[in-house]
Every structure is written in structure tokens, then in C-alpha cells.
Amino acid sequence: MRTGKILLWIGIPICLLTPLIFTLPLGLADFTGTGEIGDTIGGITAPFINVLGAILVFLALKAQIQANLIIQDQIDQQEIDKKLENESKQLNQYYSNLKSSIDGFKYSTIEPWDIGESDNKKPILEGSEAIYRLFSDYICEYHGTEADMASNPKVTELISMLEICDKLLTRINKSNINDRETLWTLTSHQFTYRIFPRLCDDYPDRIESYYCESCDMEHGFPERISFLIKSIKEKIDNGLQQCITAITADSTTSESTRNC
């Protein structure tokens, strides 16, 4: 705009003064004898006026291109925001599923000396208490093969919760959503304070299946559970990793494309 204004302030006076200048006898610059004065003025000034007009048209097109780029940036930003919003909704749904699975987890156990006595059934535990008791039974009392453990519906339910937690932490760590830190904190707290408490004193020595000399039997968990627990614990210990946002990456790509 500044260049366009300068050209107009210079070009308009020149165009207005040209007829006067070319119609006066000025010695070396005397055009009064060159023929039709209108043809002379038009022939001499036309190239300059055309160049001036071309420059102004170029500046107008340049301004239009810049405006189009701004509009395109806004469209790109809206698409990025929409994508991040959808990703945030999906990850929040994952977290809600994890929390509801933990809240709804139920477990009941019968001591060996209670078998056959229907009146001595243990109460059904729920949530973190049920998970705590399940881990206690498998660490201290359960004697069975890994195949038996893997086929237990309560164990498979626990594996499902751990898989959700592990996958959720991985996806949060790679995401660029606005509530990334909040979701990471909530998810890690679900594991640290609701699933892991019974294991913290025995981690990692008694997570995998091990031989107990006192009872001459095997204790521990299926390999899948020990793998997931270690994977989740490692992610939480490493913390939320910093990453370059998708907005910055997309902006850089767009700018490079435009420069080309």
C-alpha cells in the first residue's frame, strides 16, 4: 500500500503536467513542431502510464493473494482445531471407559476353609478394593498354571483395563490436544492410586510368575499382566513427553509450500 501511494502521488501530477510541458516551447524540449500534439503526448506518456498501471495492478493482485493466504490459514486452523477437538473427545471417552471399568470391577473370594460352607461367603468387593484383593490373592495364595489364570474372566477383565490404560497413556503422550496434561494426570492417577497400590511394595520382584519356597508352588500373574503393568509404570515414571504441536508443523509446511 505504501508503494502504491507513492506511485500515485508521483504519477498523477506527472500525467497532469505532461500536456502543459509538451505544448510549450522549451528550447531543447520543444515538441510543438512534432505534429499532432495529442499523438505526441500520448505516444510519449503511454509507456510510462502503462508501466504505472501494471505496477498498481501487481500490487492489487499481491494484496489479494495475501488476503487469500490469510483466509486459507484460517481455514487450515479451523480444520486443525476440529481435528484436535475430535481427538480430545475420543481420548476423554477412553478415559471415561477406563474409570467406569475400574469403578464397576467386582471380585469375591472364598478362603480354602470356607469351601462347602455357604454361610461363610465373603462379600463382593468393588472398584479399587476388588482389584487390591485380586492382586493379593494372586501374589500370596493362588496356585495355578498360567493357562488357568489367563482363562479366568476376572483376570481377562483386569487385562482389558490395563490395555486401555496403557494405550491411553501412549496416545495422550503423542497428542497435541489442549487438555493433554489434564488427561495424562487423571489417567496416571487411576493406575497409581487405584490399580497399583497392592503391587507397589512387591514391584517388580513379584509381578511375574515366581516360585514360592514356603508353599512349594508358583505365584504371580500371567505374562500379559506383568508386561502391561511394567509398560504403564515406565510411561508414568518417564512423565509426559514434550512434542512439537501439529499447528506449528502444519504452519511450517504451508509456509514452505507458499514460498515455493
Side-chain angles (χ1 to χ4, degrees):
M1 291 297 296
R2 181 180 180 183
T3 304
K5 290 179 180 179
I6 293 175
L7 288 173
L8 289 175
W9 281 109
I10 296 175
I12 292 176
I14 291 177
C15 291
L16 294 176
L17 293 175
T18 298
L20 179 61
I21 295 173
F22 288 163
T23 55
L24 295 178
L26 297 175
L28 294 176
D30 186 2
F31 295 95
T32 56
T34 58
E36 295 294 334
I37 191 61
D39 296 338
T40 302
I41 295 174
I44 295 174
T45 59
F48 299 100
I49 295 176
N50 291 337
V51 171
L52 178 62
I55 294 175
L56 293 176
V57 170
F58 168 77
L59 293 175
L61 292 175
K62 183 179 179 181
Q64 182 62 47
I65 292 173
Q66 291 174 342
N68 291 340
L69 291 178
I70 293 174
I71 294 174
Q72 186 61 48
D73 286 340
Q74 293 174 346
I75 294 174
D76 293 341
Q77 184 63 48
Q78 290 175 354
E79 291 179 354
I80 293 172
D81 292 342
K82 184 64 175 178
K83 181 179 179 180
L84 293 179
E85 182 182 355
N86 292 335
E87 185 179 6
S88 177
K89 289 180 180 179
Q90 188 178 54
L91 293 180
N92 275 279
Q93 183 62 42
Y94 264 106
Y95 172 75
S96 298
N97 187 287
L98 172 64
K99 186 177 183 301
S100 62
S101 297
I102 295 175
D103 292 340
F105 186 80
K106 297 180 180 181
Y107 179 73
S108 178
T109 184
I110 301 178
E111 300 292 352
W113 50 82
D114 290 335
I115 296 177
E117 301 180 16
S118 59
D119 294 336
N120 292 329
K121 287 185 177 180
K122 296 297 181 181
I124 297 177
L125 303 176
E126 297 183 3
S128 56
E129 292 182 350
I131 297 173
Y132 186 95
R133 184 53 196 247
L134 176 65
F135 279 131
S136 296
D137 286 350
Y138 274 79
I139 289 178
C140 305
E141 300 174 6
Y142 186 79
H143 304 135
T145 64
E146 178 152 331
D148 293 335
M149 289 187 287
S151 62
N152 187 311
K154 303 311 296 183
V155 174
T156 57
E157 187 176 350
L158 176 63
I159 291 175
S160 175
M161 289 189 294
L162 292 173
E163 286 179 343
I164 292 174
C165 185
D166 186 60
K167 184 174 182 179
L168 182 56
L169 289 173
T170 300
R171 291 193 58 180
I172 293 173
N173 206 22
K174 295 180 179 179
S175 70
N176 300 293
I177 58 176
N178 294 329
D179 53 347
R180 179 171 176 251
E181 185 174 351
T182 301
L183 264 181
W184 175 272
T185 301
L186 292 173
T187 304
S188 60
H189 278 206
Q190 288 293 327
F191 176 82
T192 303
Y193 299 109
R194 303 195 68 188
I195 298 177
F196 192 67
R198 176 60 186 87
L199 304 175
C200 59
D201 294 334
D202 299 301
Y203 182 83
D205 298 332
R206 303 175 71 185
I207 301 302
E208 296 179 348
S209 180
Y210 68 97
Y211 178 76
C212 178
E213 295 181 355
S214 61
C215 62
D216 195 26
M217 298 291 289
E218 291 286 335
H219 295 287
F221 306 98
E223 182 180 353
R224 182 60 179 167
I225 288 183
S226 60
F227 170 80
L228 289 169
I229 290 174
K230 290 182 178 181
S231 176
I232 295 170
K233 189 67 169 58
E234 182 180 4
K235 288 181 175 67
I236 293 176
D237 290 343
N238 290 337
L240 184 61
Q241 303 298 312
Q242 298 296 323
C243 63
I244 301 176
T245 63
I247 296 176
T248 303
D250 289 348
S251 299
T252 303
T253 302
S254 300
E255 187 64 26
S256 299
T257 303
R258 288 164 189 161
N259 289 339
C260 291

